[in-house]
Amino acid sequence: LHTISYLDNGIKRTFATTADISEAARFLDKRQLGLIGEIFAAPVRLARIGITGINVPFIAANIAKDQVSLAINSSRALSTSVANPRVFFKALVAAVGHGKEYDNWIRNAGGGTSFDISRSAPATSVAKIRAGKNIGTQITHIITNPKELLRAAENVVSRGEEMTRLQSFIGTRDQLLKEGRTAKDANILAATASRENTVNFGRSGDWGKALNSVFLYLNAGIQGSRTLVRNLQTRPVQTSAKIALTVFVPLATVTAWNMSDPQRLSAYNDIRDYEKENNLVIIPPNPTKDPKTGKWNVWKIPFSQEIANLTIPVRKGIEMLHGQPGPGFVDTAAALLGTATSLNTQTPEALVGQFIPQAVKPVMEAVLNKNTFSNTDIVPQYINGQQSKNLSPDMQVYPDTSGTARKIGALINQSPLKVEQFIKSSMGGVGSQLINASDNALATT
């Protein structure tokens, strides 16, 4: 028998009910995260906002990535994509300034971003409601409630994701109205397109909320693969043609360009495979390498997770024309499996790393001395011709290793290389920017 109970003036009263209501009332439902869930979710939110949030270069690249996803998945690509400047501009204005178009989109449940999946619903209070009077009261409320700071930052940087969804909503709705649909039907169908034409973060299943708060970008991969596979089933010719035109042709052209000049080829060969597998890498004429960071001055546009695996055989096919190993059966099979399942099949290590909770990943990497994303040693076996294990932690550095990381490493008796990786693994690109800012501040003092 399933029951719920409450105290009525000190007297316990019990009532029979359904299993779902009983579990929810007792906070036993698997969707209720509780304190432990919030603890695991915090590192995921921190990493997400550092990798794709307040990392300004990534925001621009992420918008370009979302535009490609929208063009592939939308059944009305000419009406919803950047090919329609009017819709693009309206979506940009609505995302940045909100207004009636934005309110209509929210009212029809067309919204939702990747930040929503790892945070709980905001606690509405009288103070929070009153803070909404104007920008001044909102800022004051955020400053006096530090827990709101992360949510406020997420709300600001999610504008890029919202713009792409608004494009889908506005373009689809306007096209449906031209076809004679009623305003009500057009709004409902446009909201569905807004959720489904990129990645539907609102769809996660019973365990999705908990898993999304533990594993970084797990739901993004699952829902991205689901959307792409569905479109390949329902519109195989159209979807395949759009993938070829928007992804494969640019990738083949850019790869051929990168390898057609000795200087660009040298830079291309020096870039690690995991970067080529996850980004469209564009090398400019006469590329240069930053002696401090060891990075080339290249442009990188990230591939969507559901598309990234499919690009590997295409890229290797172009590389084969320039004398490098071509795609094999394993490459093709792994690409198809990864696309259909959202599993990171590029390497066995990457597959395992996909299911390491973000809360323990930075510490685990330091203990195992392994970067789980690139599958490389954090502290290499040899530094300056000497075995690393024979060197004291403070000597396990490169000439360009961060001064900030050296000072932190000295305090905790760890290699500065591991300190750098811990910060980057916890906060992504923003972590690197913070280290650089700290180094500059140390240099001036």
Side-chain angles (χ1 to χ4, degrees):
L1 180 66
H2 301 286
T3 63
I4 57 173
S5 302
Y6 73 96
L7 290 177
D8 180 11
N9 293 324
I11 301 174
K12 182 179 180 180
R13 300 189 182 277
T14 303
F15 299 90
T17 184
T18 65
D20 290 341
I21 294 178
S22 175
E23 289 183 1
R26 298 183 185 188
F27 295 97
L28 296 177
D29 191 281
K30 52 199 169 192
R31 290 165 292 185
Q32 305 296 331
L33 297 179
L35 177 61
I36 296 177
E38 288 191 15
I39 293 173
F40 273 88
V44 173
R45 293 180 66 182
L46 182 64
R48 180 179 286 107
I49 202 170
I51 296 170
T52 62
I54 56 177
N55 186 0
V56 176
F58 192 94
I59 292 175
N62 199 48
I63 291 175
K65 179 198 74 173
D66 286 345
Q67 292 295 318
V68 174
S69 293
L70 177 59
I72 291 172
N73 294 320
S74 176
S75 60
R76 293 177 170 83
L78 294 179
S79 300
T80 60
S81 70
V82 71
N84 189 327
R86 183 187 65 83
V87 169
F88 182 87
F89 180 74
K90 287 181 68 175
L92 176 62
V93 172
V96 174
H98 291 182
K100 292 182 179 180
E101 195 72 81
Y102 185 90
D103 291 343
N104 183 47
W105 175 60
I106 294 296
R107 201 161 37 239
N108 286 280
T113 71
S114 59
F115 295 109
D116 296 330
I117 62 178
S118 60
R119 62 185 188 181
S120 57
T124 302
S125 63
V126 173
K128 187 174 181 67
I129 294 172
R130 288 175 175 170
K133 289 189 296 184
N134 55 59
I135 187 65
T137 56
Q138 291 175 21
I139 293 174
T140 301
H141 178 73
I142 291 172
I143 293 175
T144 55
N145 294 270
K147 196 173 181 180
E148 296 284 334
L149 285 172
L150 182 58
R151 181 178 293 274
E154 291 171 342
N155 289 341
V156 171
V157 300
S158 64
R159 297 293 189 263
E161 289 185 40
E162 290 184 330
M163 188 189 76
T164 307
R165 294 186 186 277
L166 279 160
Q167 276 179 260
S168 182
F169 178 81
I170 296 169
T172 302
R173 181 202 60 202
D174 292 353
Q175 185 63 34
L176 288 169
L177 290 174
K178 289 180 181 178
E179 295 172 4
R181 294 274 190 165
T182 64
K184 181 179 180 180
D185 287 347
N187 279 322
I188 292 173
L189 294 173
T192 301
S194 172
R195 296 189 300 269
E196 297 288 347
N197 283 347
T198 50
V199 176
N200 188 357
F201 295 114
R203 182 186 177 99
S204 56
D206 289 341
W207 279 98
K209 185 70 175 179
L211 295 177
N212 291 331
S213 299
V214 175
F215 301 104
L216 190 62
Y217 298 120
L218 176 66
N219 192 54
I222 293 173
Q223 299 306 326
S225 292
R226 171 185 165 273
T227 298
L228 182 64
V229 171
R230 182 198 65 212
N231 290 331
L232 285 170
Q233 290 175 333
T234 57
R235 303 191 306 273
V237 175
Q238 182 187 127
T239 304
S240 299
K242 287 192 289 186
I243 292 174
L245 289 174
T246 61
V247 180
F248 292 167
V249 171
L251 173 62
T253 303
V254 168
T255 303
W257 157 264
N258 291 340
M259 305 184 74
S260 62
D261 174 82
Q263 286 182 287
R264 292 195 297 270
L265 178 60
S266 177
Y268 183 78
N269 290 334
D270 192 46
I271 297 173
R272 292 179 175 176
D273 285 342
Y274 76 87
E275 293 190 76
K276 302 173 190 175
E277 291 166 355
N278 294 284
N279 301 276
L280 177 65
V281 180
I282 306 173
I283 302 177
N286 303 314
T288 58
K289 187 176 185 179
D290 188 327
K292 184 178 180 180
T293 64
K295 295 183 178 180
W296 292 89
N297 64 325
V298 302
W299 297 289
K300 293 187 293 184
I301 301 175
F303 295 122
S304 297
Q305 285 181 267
E306 69 273 16
I307 293 294
N309 284 298
L310 289 177
T311 65
I312 297 175
V314 176
R315 175 176 55 82
K316 288 190 173 184
I318 301 300
E319 291 175 350
M320 182 176 64
L321 300 177
H322 291 79
Q324 297 191 11
F329 173 79
V330 173
D331 294 314
T332 304
L336 295 175
L337 178 63
T339 300
T341 63
S342 81
L343 297 175
N344 191 338
T345 56
Q346 295 167 3
T347 64
E349 293 80 9
L351 179 61
V352 173
Q354 189 177 7
F355 295 98
I356 298 176
Q358 179 63 25
V360 302
K361 183 180 291 186
V363 175
M364 180 181 293
E365 289 181 329
V367 172
L368 299 179
N369 188 38
K370 184 69 69 173
N371 183 330
T372 56
F373 182 72
S374 62
N375 190 34
T376 56
D377 291 335
I378 299 172
V379 179
Q381 293 185 6
Y382 290 88
I383 296 180
N384 298 325
Q386 301 183 60
Q387 278 198 318
S388 301
K389 64 181 181 180
N390 296 329
L391 299 174
S392 60
D394 63 299
M395 297 296 292
Q396 297 175 5
V397 296
Y398 297 124
D400 59 353
T401 297
S402 161
T404 302
R406 291 173 189 258
K407 288 186 176 295
I408 296 174
L411 290 174
I412 61 177
N413 195 34
Q414 287 291 329
S415 167
L417 295 178
K418 290 187 177 182
V419 173
E420 281 187 328
Q421 177 58 31
F422 183 93
I423 295 174
K424 293 175 182 178
S425 186
S426 299
M427 300 186 64
V430 171
S432 299
Q433 294 164 14
L434 290 175
I435 291 174
N436 186 56
S438 177
D439 287 347
N440 290 334
L442 288 173
T444 61
T445 58

